[in-house]
């Protein structure tokens, strides 16, 4: 049987604290009620039932059962206080009185307050109360001639009842913490996905919008330089073709940006290093920056194409936005099981805005996720260098 065939077994629905507490309280109340109703039924079915004994049993049983349910509920909901521990202190002598007045058959009712020792008291105090009650009941039963089986049962059952009560509360609190942890993990997953989406959107739109702005600026300059009265002669024809070419490029880049955004939203965007480097070179050429497309080693794995593609996108965006570069050198090579990408440009001495874009932090995260290394910064010769390397094989 495949694990995925039964998702409920993998990710069960965790009940709310109130629902789980209600279930535990109901189960505990039924169990405790049996301890009281069984000897009370015996009193009513005697050949000559005594009304006083029955009334005394009812008068003691009802408050203890109600108090037990109430105390357990408050403990499970983390609302127990000192006065509730005082109620527990009253429940013990009431149950003890039942055993003394009505006989040892009622001694089992001591399991009701005994089950609350581990619920309302601190662990050390609960152990002391359990041991003390067990010793007192055992000694009293042996002295007064209770049946040995009753004494032995109480000596073993009281510690079990106290431990069971403590485990029930612990279990409910663990489930509550589990619910909180799962909710926190869900919020963290949503936050991580938002960061991923914001990072991808920044990388995609930052490059594309910068390219659109550059092409539009070039078209504007062409319009300003061309005389309006050139007529329909050859100069005007060439001017129109140049302007039309830039507009077509703007349309193409805008459509590509729309497609990229859709792919980012779907989470399926696959980046090609060759495509990104070709696009980077074309954009830099249009901006008047000398740049040549490098030779790429063959048979690079998909994670190298995707990671380095993002590096190329962010790099060209930063070159256009934050520098006044005149040349940009791209280099890609592989050695010792790792692939390296290096992008160097001038113009760093006249950086616009002071620092490169914040997208470099996203690149660092991407590359570290695949076990690579990333560095970016100014070099002593007045250039800005971006160096990235990733392993060809990613360990899983």
């Amino acid at each position: 049987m495949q694990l995925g065939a039964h998702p409920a077994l993998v990710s069960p629905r965790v009940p709310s604290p109130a629902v789980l507490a209600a279930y535990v309280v109901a189960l505990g109340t039924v169990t405790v009620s049996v301890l009281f109703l069984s000897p009370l039924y015996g009193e009513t079915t005697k050949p000559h039932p005594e009304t006083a004994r029955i009334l005394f049993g009812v008068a003691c049983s009802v408050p203890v059962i109600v108090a037990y349910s109430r105390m357990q509920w408050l403990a499970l909901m983390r609302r127990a206080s000192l006065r509730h521990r005082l109620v527990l202190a009253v429940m013990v002598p009431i149950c003890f009185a039942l055993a003394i007045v009505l006989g040892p058959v009622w001694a089992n009712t001591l399991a009701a307050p005994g089950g609350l020792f581990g619920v309302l008291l601190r662990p050390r105090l609960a152990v002391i109360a359990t041991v003390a009650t067990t010793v007192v009941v055992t000694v009293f039963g042996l002295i007064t001639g209770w049946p040995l089986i009753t004494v032995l049962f109480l000596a073993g059952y009281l510690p079990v009842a106290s431990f069971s009560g403590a485990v029930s509360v612990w279990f409910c609190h663990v489930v509550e913490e589990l619910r909180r942890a799962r909710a926190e993990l869900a919020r963290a997953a949503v936050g991580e996905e938002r960061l991923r989406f914001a990072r991808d959107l920044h990388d995609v739109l930052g490059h594309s919008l910068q390219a659109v702005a550059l092409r539009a600026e070039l078209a504007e300059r062409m319009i300003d330089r061309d005389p309006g009265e050139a007529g329909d002669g050859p100069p005007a024809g060439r001017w129109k073709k140049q302007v039309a070419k830039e507009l077509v490029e703007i349309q193409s880049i805008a459509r590509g940006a729309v497609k990229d955004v859709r792919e980012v939203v779907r989470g399926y965007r696959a980046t090609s290093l060759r495509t990104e480097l070709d696009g980077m070179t074309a954009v830099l050429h249009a901006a008047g920056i000398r740049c040549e497309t490098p030779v790429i080693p063959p048979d690079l794995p998909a994670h190298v194409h995707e990671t380095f593609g993002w590096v190329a996108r962010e790099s060209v965006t930063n070159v256009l936005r934050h520098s006044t570069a005149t040349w940009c050198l791209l280099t890609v090579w592989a050695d010792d099981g790792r692939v390296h990408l290096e992008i160097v440009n001038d113009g760093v001495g006249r950086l616009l805005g002071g620092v490169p874009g914040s997208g470099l932090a996203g690149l660092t995260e991407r590359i570290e996720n695949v076990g690579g290394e990333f560095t970016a910064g100014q070099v002593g010769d007045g250039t800005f260098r971006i160096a990235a390397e990733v392993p060809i094989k990613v360990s899983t």
Side-chain angles (χ1 to χ4, degrees):
M1 180 179 63
Q2 293 182 351
L3 190 62
H6 297 280
L9 298 178
V10 180
S11 181
R13 180 178 180 273
V14 180
S16 65
V19 172
L20 187 60
Y23 173 78
V24 174
V25 170
L27 186 62
T29 302
V30 170
T31 303
V32 168
S33 298
V34 172
L35 298 177
F36 287 89
L37 294 178
S38 179
L40 186 61
Y41 177 78
E43 291 289 342
T44 60
T45 56
K46 286 181 177 180
H48 303 287
E50 300 180 20
T51 304
R53 290 173 61 90
I54 296 175
L55 292 178
F56 180 75
V58 172
C60 293
S61 299
V62 173
V64 172
I65 294 174
V66 173
Y68 176 89
S69 301
R70 178 63 177 170
M71 297 303 103
Q72 193 177 40
W73 171 263
L74 292 174
L76 292 173
M77 301 307 293
R78 302 178 186 268
R79 301 209 305 261
S81 61
L82 176 61
R83 62 189 182 91
H84 300 123
R85 297 182 179 92
L86 296 177
V87 173
L88 174 61
V90 175
M91 291 172 62
V92 174
I94 290 178
C95 295
F96 204 20
L98 283 172
I100 295 175
V101 175
L102 301 182
V105 69
W106 287 83
N108 291 341
T109 59
L110 285 166
L116 294 177
F117 288 157
V119 174
L120 296 177
L121 305 178
R122 297 181 183 275
R124 180 177 298 180
L125 187 58
V127 172
I128 295 175
T130 301
V131 173
T133 303
T134 303
V135 171
V136 170
V137 172
T138 301
V139 172
F140 181 83
L142 293 176
I143 294 177
T144 57
W146 286 2
L148 182 61
I149 187 65
T150 300
V151 175
L152 293 177
F153 177 79
L154 287 175
Y157 187 61
L158 285 178
V160 171
S162 177
F163 178 76
S164 299
V167 170
S168 298
V169 174
W170 173 82
F171 175 74
C172 291
H173 290 171
V174 166
V175 172
E176 181 182 357
E177 294 297 328
L178 175 62
R179 283 178 56 87
R180 293 179 180 177
R182 295 181 71 172
E184 185 63 29
L185 287 176
R187 286 192 293 268
V190 172
E192 181 66 23
E193 182 61 19
R194 287 176 177 173
L195 289 176
R196 183 201 68 81
F197 181 78
R199 182 188 62 197
D200 291 355
L201 202 60
H202 169 272
D203 293 345
V204 170
L205 288 185
H207 165 79
S208 300
L209 294 180
Q210 188 70 26
V212 168
L214 177 63
R215 294 287 184 176
E217 182 180 355
L218 291 177
E220 182 183 12
R221 291 177 181 177
M222 291 178 184
I223 294 176
D224 292 339
R225 288 199 304 264
D226 190 81
E229 58 276 2
D232 295 327
R238 288 195 299 269
W239 170 76
K240 290 180 180 179
K241 289 181 180 179
Q242 291 175 351
V243 174
K245 179 182 178 181
E246 296 300 329
L247 293 177
V248 170
E249 289 292 337
I250 291 174
Q251 293 177 13
S252 176
I253 295 174
R255 291 193 182 99
V258 172
K259 180 181 178 182
D260 289 344
V261 169
R262 289 174 178 171
E263 291 176 347
V264 167
V265 172
R266 296 190 186 100
Y268 295 138
R269 190 174 196 280
T271 305
S272 169
L273 178 57
R274 168 57 62 188
T275 302
E276 296 299 338
L277 292 179
D278 288 342
M280 178 179 181
T281 303
V283 170
L284 293 178
H285 281 166
I289 301 174
R290 299 192 311 274
C291 184
E292 298 296 334
T293 304
V295 178
I296 298 177
D299 301 326
L300 293 179
H303 72 274
V304 175
H305 279 274
E306 181 176 1
T307 305
F308 281 175
W310 287 114
V311 174
R313 279 179 168 268
E314 181 61 30
S315 298
V316 70
T317 300
N318 286 334
V319 170
L320 296 175
R321 184 182 301 169
H322 302 291
S323 77
T324 55
T326 60
W327 59 266
C328 183
L329 178 63
L330 310 178
T331 311
V332 182
W333 74 96
D335 61 5
D336 297 331
R338 300 178 75 85
V339 185
H340 303 259
L341 171 64
E342 185 177 83
I343 302 174
V344 182
N345 64 273
D346 67 341
V348 68
R350 304 185 300 276
L351 272 175
L352 304 179
V355 294
S358 60
L360 295 180
L363 293 181
T364 302
E365 178 184 347
R366 288 181 185 276
I367 294 174
E368 289 179 350
N369 287 340
V370 296
E373 297 181 2
F374 178 81
T375 58
Q378 299 183 23
V379 186
D381 57 358
T383 60
F384 192 87
R385 176 178 176 270
I386 289 178
E389 62 176 82
V390 297
I392 295 179
K393 294 183 179 180
V394 179
S395 59
T396 57

